[in-house]
């Protein structure tokens, strides 16, 4: 298969392609390291507090760079000597112009909450932190269109538009740290995708600084614009490999008058699918989330204080849990519908659920959500996680979790708690399972037991090895389980076209 691909690309790039099939991130190898001269130049573009470098004139101790060089899980580490924190698009442009000329690798970094190692360097690339670009540029309460700097934190945006009775079309557990530019660059999914769709639909425009420093202004606020290729779509989910997103125009939604939630307790996973069908039919337009956690995930969430545990009697015999949220225009109407649903589920001849716990106050509403949203946090407190974020048919969610556990057991890796838990949770409504393998420590042995095992399993269902977290550095070698050779070839051509020097986030997505 590789031969065919290599032959089919232009000769100018074939060497690079050949190397990539040996899984060597060739674009990384050709890059320059930052020198004192570079830092002196950056210090002319940015004020002193915005340059953090081990080189003069900054001369920061290496420890000060540690957080920027390590990802959220502590799994991926970079060796960058220099973090730059521009305050505006012009500064980003000047930095990239210099890095382009000098062939210095650049890693854009938002909230650094990514789960695939995309936001930290693979070597000593410059880290370009967007955290100082945090101005809201405009908000139109009539259309709901928000235009903002890429470094605004998602939760701050939510709070900013709340008094105008609007909500962001996306929400995720990392909302307190992740930034809108990072969300766009990962095409983050999250907890509201069922209702509001993906960012490919709600992002109306982007301002992007291209690798050579050119500013591409596509910061449109138009709902409709069919003037040729929709270039912004390329940057949604590009994970910083094509340019730096500096501004985002996004359509926000009118805030629902009322939101309710309920946790449904199920004896058996096989009942999740019929339950989803019934819930969809019964709640129709007010259904806003249908999220799933298995018993292992629930136990970890409660063990580590994420939300309040349900009463023991409610959890007895539970195999898994589903969180249903409604968002609608009239509280009484929505509550009535939810109560009717619960009654009919519980009084059925063969009930699909054993019980349902309905939130009765804003605090309970948040607590039920914390049981689901808090699993990632709980897992990180429990151990070291191998995370597989996959799209597969709903009916296969449990089989994949069970098969992975069994596979690790056969390999002897469940002994002595080397692997402590294999759990599943995720976005049922989006067909997205989060398979988490929680180990005592990261080890080659566990990784090679899991890969390619999990990827082959996903491929057998014609699924996706990355539903929403992206490829980062973690899955560059595994793209072919989901994308065919022609698609990968065209992705490489697009990368070449924007960034022939390979300075943008080297070693990520496509290598
Ligand atoms: P970073 O982690 O800083 O960067 C992510 C990638 O985007 C990197 O490749 C980086 O180089 C690139 N990048 C960042 N900013 C820019 C920019 N301005 N221009 C160009 N490239 C850029 N993800 C989901 O999809 N759904 C979830 O429900 C979800 N829940 C999460 C819950 C928790 C507790 C945690 C820790 C993570 C979760 N994530 C989830 C993953 C993560 O939060 C998302 O991928 C998020 O969108 C990353 O945003 P960030 O600002 O932290 O980006
Ligand atoms: C979620 O849905 C996030 O909670 C994180 O996407 C999933 O940690 C994970 O594996
Ligand atoms: Zn998720």
């Amino acid at each position: 298969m590789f031969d065919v691909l290599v032959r089919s690309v232009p000769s100018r790039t074939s060497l690079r392609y050949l190397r990539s099939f040996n899984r060597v991130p060739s674009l990384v190898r050709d890059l320059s390291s930052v020198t004192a001269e570079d830092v002196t130049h950056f210090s002319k573009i940015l004020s002193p507090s915005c340059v953090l470098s081990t080189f003069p004139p900054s001369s920061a101790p290496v420890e000060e760079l540690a957080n920027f060089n390590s990802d959220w899980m502590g799994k991926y580490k970079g060796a960058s000597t220099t973090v730059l924190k521009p305050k505006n698009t012009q500064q980003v442009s000047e930095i990239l112009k210099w890095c382009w000329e000098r062939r210095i690798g650049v890693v854009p970094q938002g909230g650094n909450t990514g789960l695939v190692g995309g936001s930290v360097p693979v070597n000593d690339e410059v880290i370009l932190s967007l955290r100082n670009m945090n101005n809201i540029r405009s908000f139109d309460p009539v259309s709901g269109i928000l235009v903002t700097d890429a470094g605004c934190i998602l939760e701050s945006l939510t709070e900013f538009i709340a008094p105008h009775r609007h909500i962001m079309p996306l929400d995720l557990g990392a909302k307190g740290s992740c930034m809108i530019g990072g969300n766009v660059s990962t095409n983050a999914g999250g907890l509201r995708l069922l209702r509001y769709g993906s960012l490919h639909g709600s992002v109306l425009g982007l301002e992007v600084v291209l690798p050579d420093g050119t500013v591409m202004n596509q910061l449109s606020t138009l709902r409709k614009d069919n003037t040729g290729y929709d270039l912004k779509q390329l940057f949604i989910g590009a994970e910083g490999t094509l340019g730096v997103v500096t501004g985002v125009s996004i359509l926000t939604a009118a805030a629902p008058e009322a939101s309710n939630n309920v946790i449904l307790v199920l004896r058996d996973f096989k009942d999740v699918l019929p339950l989803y069908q019934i819930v969809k039919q019964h709640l129709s337009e007010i259904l806003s989330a249908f999220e799933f956690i298995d018993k292992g995930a629930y136990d970890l969430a409660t063990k580590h204080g994420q939300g309040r545990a349900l009463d023991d009697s409610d959890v007895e015999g539970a195999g898994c849990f589903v969180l249903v949220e409604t968002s609608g225009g009239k509280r009484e109407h929505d509550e009535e519908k939810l109560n009717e649903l619960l009654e009919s589920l519980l009084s059925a001849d063969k009930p699909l659920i054993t019980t349902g716990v309905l939130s009765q106050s804003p605090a309970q509403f948040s607590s039920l959500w914390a049981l689901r949203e808090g699993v990632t946090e709980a897992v990180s407190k429990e151990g070291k996680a191998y995370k597989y974020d996959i799209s597969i048919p709903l009916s296969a969610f449990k089989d994949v979790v069970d098969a992975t556990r069994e596979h690790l057991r056969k390999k002897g890796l469940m002994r002595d708690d080397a692997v402590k838990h294999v759990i599943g949770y995720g976005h049922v409504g989006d067909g997205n399972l989060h398979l988490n393998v929680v180990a005592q420590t990261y080890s080659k042995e566990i990784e090679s037991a899991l890969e390619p095992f999990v990827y082959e399993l996903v491929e057998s269902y014609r699924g996706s090895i990355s539903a929403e977290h992206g490829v980062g550095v973690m899955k560059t070698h595994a793209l072919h389980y989901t994308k065919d050779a022609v698609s990968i070839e065209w992705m490489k051509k697009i990368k070449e076209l924007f960034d022939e020097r390979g300075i943008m986030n080297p070693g990520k997505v496509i290598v």
Side-chain angles (χ1 to χ4, degrees), residues 59-116:
S59 302
V62 176
E63 302 79 67
E64 266 193 56
L65 292 125
N67 285 341
F68 295 94
N69 267 314
S70 176
D71 76 318
W72 190 85
M73 297 176 290
K75 187 176 178 191
Y76 301 97
K77 307 266 183 216
S80 178
T81 58
T82 305
V83 179
L84 304 176
K85 297 181 250 178
K87 289 189 169 160
N88 55 50
T89 305
Q90 185 54 33
Q91 290 180 344
V92 175
S93 166
E94 285 177 41
I95 291 165
L96 285 195
K97 251 180 219 153
W98 182 263
C99 291
W100 177 258
E101 288 305 323
R102 288 266 301 112
R103 295 178 189 263
I104 295 170
V106 178
V107 180
Q109 191 176 90
N112 200 11
T113 66
L115 298 173
V116 288

Side-chain angles (χ1 to χ4, degrees), residues 71-73 106-120 128 130 150-152 154 170-175 177-191 199 207-208 235 238-248 291 372-377 387 389 427 432 434 467-470 472-473 504-505 508-509:
D71 76 318
W72 190 85
M73 297 176 290
V106 178
V107 180
Q109 191 176 90
N112 200 11
T113 66
L115 298 173
V116 288
S119 51
V120 293
L128 196 141
L130 275 295
C152 286
L154 178 59
L170 79 162
D171 184 27
L172 38 146
K175 57 182 147 259
S177 309
C178 66
M179 297 172 188
I180 192 70
N183 300 148
V184 167
S185 300
T186 53
N187 186 24
L191 308 161
L199 290 173
E207 178 187 82
V208 180
F235 298 89
E239 300 180 54
T241 59
L242 300 179
V244 179
V245 174
T246 47
V248 177
E291 294 281 321
R372 161 63 187 89
E373 265 188 306
V375 178
T376 301
E377 186 88 37
K387 290 183 180 286
D389 155 44
H427 317 284
N432 176 190
H434 294 305
E468 60 173 6
H469 296 164
V473 74
M504 287 309 309
N505 217 355
K508 315 290 167 52
V509 185

